[in-house]
Amino acid sequence: MANSNSNKEYSRVQIPALVHLTKIGYTYFGKISDADSGKVYDPDTNILLQVFKAQFERLNPEVKGEFDHLLEDIKKELGDDTLGRKFYERLRAKSPYNS
């Protein structure tokens, strides 16, 4: 029975959502394997590294060299025992990189 419910969710929710999101400009990366850890995504945060770096540099061209430092700060904030509160505050605050 559980398999039937997961198939319903896949066909009625996941696939239509995937189709909609790709139509409005999102990119589907497919299954990302453990072998991609550290190259394609950061295993601690699940951040897609190339995508995040490209967007950070596009939005903050004056600080291209700051990406690695920023990623380490984010990893620290997510690793702190604050349930992600510091990271949430970072998202809500004005970017220190974009004045």
Side-chain angles (χ1 to χ4, degrees):
M1 189 75 166
N3 192 12
S4 175
N5 287 338
S6 65
N7 286 336
K8 285 180 186 176
E9 178 183 349
Y10 184 74
S11 65
R12 293 184 182 173
V13 178
Q14 293 177 7
I15 294 297
L18 176 65
V19 169
H20 177 70
L21 290 169
T22 55
K23 282 183 180 178
I24 63 172
Y26 284 84
T27 302
Y28 176 66
F29 285 91
K31 184 171 175 74
I32 298 174
S33 70
D34 289 339
D36 296 324
S37 175
K39 294 176 275 183
V40 175
Y41 77 98
D42 178 77
D44 298 325
T45 62
N46 290 323
I47 291 174
L48 295 171
L49 296 170
Q50 292 106 352
V51 173
F52 185 62
K53 182 176 184 177
Q55 292 304 313
F56 173 76
E57 290 178 351
R58 182 179 70 83
L59 295 170
N60 303 283
E62 68 282 358
V63 290
K64 277 192 175 185
E66 296 292 321
F67 172 75
D68 292 328
H69 178 70
L70 173 71
L71 183 60
E72 288 305 314
D73 286 349
I74 289 171
K75 288 170 70 168
K76 181 183 178 324
E77 289 170 358
L78 290 172
D80 286 347
D81 195 21
T82 63
L83 302 174
R85 186 173 311 275
K86 287 183 183 178
F87 182 67
Y88 173 74
E89 290 169 0
R90 173 189 290 270
L91 293 175
R92 298 245 342 174
K94 183 176 176 170
S95 171
Y97 296 102
N98 192 4
S99 30

